[in-house]
Amino acid sequence: MLIREAENALIPIFSEIDHKVKQNLKKTLTAFRNHRLGVHHFASVTGYGHDDVGRETLDEILAEILQAEAAMVRVQFVSGTHAIACALFGVLRPGDEMLAVAGAPYDTLEEVIGLRGTGQGSLTDFNINYRQLDLTDQGTIDWEGLKTAIKPETKLVLIQRSCGYSWRSSLSITDIQEIIKIVKAQNSNTVCFVDNCYGELVENIEPTAVGADLMAGSLIKNLGGTIVTTGGYIAGKKTLVEAAACRLTSPGIGREGGATLNQSRLLFQGLFLAPQMVGEAMKGSHLIAYVFDKLGYEVNPFPMVARRDIIQGIKLGSPEKLKAFCRAIQTYSPVGSYLDPVPAEMPGYESKLVMAGGTFIDGSTSEFSADGPLREPYIVFCQGGTHWTHISLALEAAIEAISDSVGT
């Protein structure tokens, strides 16, 4: 059986992932110990959120894990996009330029930038200019173009770590380090900002450890360990984190406000579980890639290669297969298995999406889910997974579903 073949072939890779999980867990436990985490940190405050010892300690712990000057973890961030937007608006001012160096940004950032929609307070509405360095024909960073891309008005470069809904390789920490080196050689004051969504704890160091000035992400992705109910984080240089915090709250309040609403224990526990959950998602990604490559589909990333995030793309080639695949994943979800995913509009996205996500946390992509825009070449993106065996079971159904769908 193909899936059993894949499981056996991937045993050495699964062992390597377990070793990486152990390293990241050791780093997390060391930070917990250094900051003397205790049950008193689980207590919560209300109202303004002043003097929240648990929240302040969590910020310090995450900063240590990420090797950043400062960090902020807040349940008031409604998504990773919200955290990223706060970071961008915190740093950029009218007349500044933002340069995206990894091609077009993720769909949900298009309206933040002002590439779609008008009059909603986008960067463009505030006279902040946008430029992007397109990928090469091979789908890689234009390294030669990057060497002369920074202009005097380029205040910030956007480095999107994950492939998003594009068919390119996600960026490794080595890639990010090289981008930062090239940017800083042209202007040391240009802020290097990393959209770190889906990439946390996939490697043993993060972008802030290799020179990134600022980064942001969601807590219903990697760092929430599948149990955090909402929120996001920002980490990096202290002055820049504070500037972003002033966009979330207000100038004069910054990181000092924001009640944790009795979520502190889950935030700490989710961070503790995060290395293991990311490891399981990576195993599932390898399994999906191996199986669908054998079935003759294009996959990204390729089988048996090191992972750079927790996303696995499969180029299915038809809307029928995309819908059938998502329907099968939904059937094998722990929540809402009886639902039928249908293409629908989604806030922040240009195309209709087909989404399978029977998750305990609504919209969580650290739990196993699959989705894709209903546009050619009909790619499905799988992400997350609490244990690879769940992904294996769902794959069995997905293989059968697409073989029975129209257009095979």
Side-chain angles (χ1 to χ4, degrees):
M1 185 178 180
L2 182 54
I3 292 180
R4 178 57 64 88
E5 174 193 325
E7 292 171 355
N8 290 334
L10 292 168
I11 288 173
I13 288 178
F14 282 14
S15 180
E16 291 176 12
I17 291 172
D18 286 338
H19 180 66
K20 190 169 292 185
V21 167
K22 186 177 179 180
Q23 290 178 300
N24 280 325
L25 181 58
K26 182 179 181 180
K27 181 169 57 176
T28 302
L29 289 171
T30 298
F32 282 8
R33 182 168 59 249
N34 289 344
H35 293 275
R36 300 176 62 85
L37 179 65
V39 294
H40 58 286
H41 290 115
F42 302 161
S44 186
V45 298
T46 58
Y48 295 129
H50 295 164
D51 302 316
D52 188 329
V53 176
R55 185 193 66 212
E56 293 169 1
T57 300
L58 180 57
D59 286 352
E60 292 170 357
I61 285 173
L62 184 61
E64 179 177 331
I65 292 170
L66 301 179
Q67 293 178 259
E69 284 184 15
M72 58 178 293
V73 181
R74 296 294 182 273
V75 296
Q76 284 76 20
F77 286 125
V78 302
S79 65
T81 299
H82 183 197
I84 292 165
C86 286
L88 297 178
F89 279 101
V91 173
L92 294 164
R93 297 293 180 268
D96 288 342
E97 178 188 75
M98 178 175 79
L99 172 67
V101 298
Y106 189 62
D107 289 34
T108 58
L109 285 181
E110 291 180 353
E111 290 186 70
V112 173
I113 295 167
L115 302 179
R116 287 189 289 116
T118 57
Q120 296 180 331
S122 67
L123 295 175
T124 300
D125 289 342
F126 282 91
N127 195 31
I128 296 166
N129 300 311
Y130 171 78
R131 183 164 53 97
Q132 71 184 41
L133 190 63
D134 290 328
L135 300 174
T136 66
D137 292 340
Q138 292 73 41
T140 61
I141 298 290
D142 182 359
W143 294 105
E144 284 303 310
L146 181 60
K147 292 177 182 178
T148 57
I150 306 303
K151 298 179 179 179
E153 63 271 21
T154 308
K155 178 68 174 292
L156 178 146
V157 295
L158 169 64
I159 306 169
Q160 184 172 295
R161 183 173 180 177
S162 175
C163 62
Y165 278 162
S166 65
W167 194 255
R168 69 161 172 88
S169 296
S170 297
L171 301 179
S172 67
I173 290 295
T174 301
D175 292 332
I176 293 170
Q177 184 175 26
E178 184 63 19
I179 291 169
I180 294 169
K181 179 182 177 182
I182 293 171
V183 169
K184 295 293 187 179
Q186 296 170 74
N187 186 345
S188 61
N189 294 320
T190 298
V191 174
C192 291
F193 171 73
V194 178
D195 171 357
N196 206 33
C197 288
Y198 299 106
E200 299 90 350
L201 303 180
V202 170
E203 300 192 46
N204 291 133
I205 57 174
E206 299 297 326
T208 38
V210 296
D213 300 300
L214 197 63
M215 67 182 185
S218 168
L219 292 183
I220 61 171
K221 295 184 175 69
N222 301 25
L223 288 184
T226 77
I227 66 170
V228 173
T229 54
T230 190
Y233 76 93
I234 295 176
K237 291 184 176 177
K238 186 175 182 179
T239 55
L240 298 177
V241 172
E242 186 63 26
C246 289
R247 286 297 307 190
L248 175 65
T249 56
S250 74
I253 296 178
R255 288 191 292 160
E256 298 301 317
T260 45
L261 306 175
N262 293 312
Q263 299 293 300
S264 294
R265 180 187 63 79
L266 287 175
L267 292 167
F268 283 111
Q269 190 174 4
L271 186 57
F272 168 71
L273 293 173
Q276 182 67 45
M277 295 299 99
V278 171
E280 293 300 303
M282 290 166 63
K283 291 176 184 178
S285 169
H286 277 285
L287 191 62
I288 295 166
Y290 186 100
V291 167
F292 275 86
D293 176 70
K294 289 288 187 180
L295 291 173
Y297 292 90
E298 290 186 63
V299 296
N300 179 36
F302 294 122
M304 314 295 280
V305 301
R307 267 33 194 170
R308 299 175 173 186
D309 60 16
I310 62 167
I311 297 177
Q312 180 63 51
I314 311 166
K315 196 176 290 186
L316 294 174
S318 77
E320 292 78 18
K321 288 184 179 182
L322 175 58
K323 289 183 282 188
F325 184 99
C326 289
R327 190 176 297 117
I329 300 304
Q330 187 71 37
T331 299
Y332 269 79
S333 295
V335 180
S337 59
Y338 53 88
L339 298 174
D340 184 12
V342 295
E345 305 287 346
M346 185 68 65
Y349 294 87
E350 182 177 13
S351 302
K352 287 185 176 182
L353 297 184
V354 186
M355 305 191 76
T359 55
F360 290 95
I361 305 298
D362 185 31
S364 170
T365 45
S366 53
E367 302 176 66
F368 186 46
S369 60
D371 57 78
L374 201 66
R375 63 185 183 221
E376 293 184 346
Y378 302 105
I379 302 169
V380 67
F381 296 90
C382 304
Q383 53 268 319
T386 55
H387 36 306
W388 69 264
T389 48
H390 174 211
I391 297 170
S392 180
L393 290 169
L395 273 184
E396 293 178 10
I399 292 168
E400 182 178 354
I402 62 172
S403 66
D404 292 340
S405 66
V406 177
T408 54

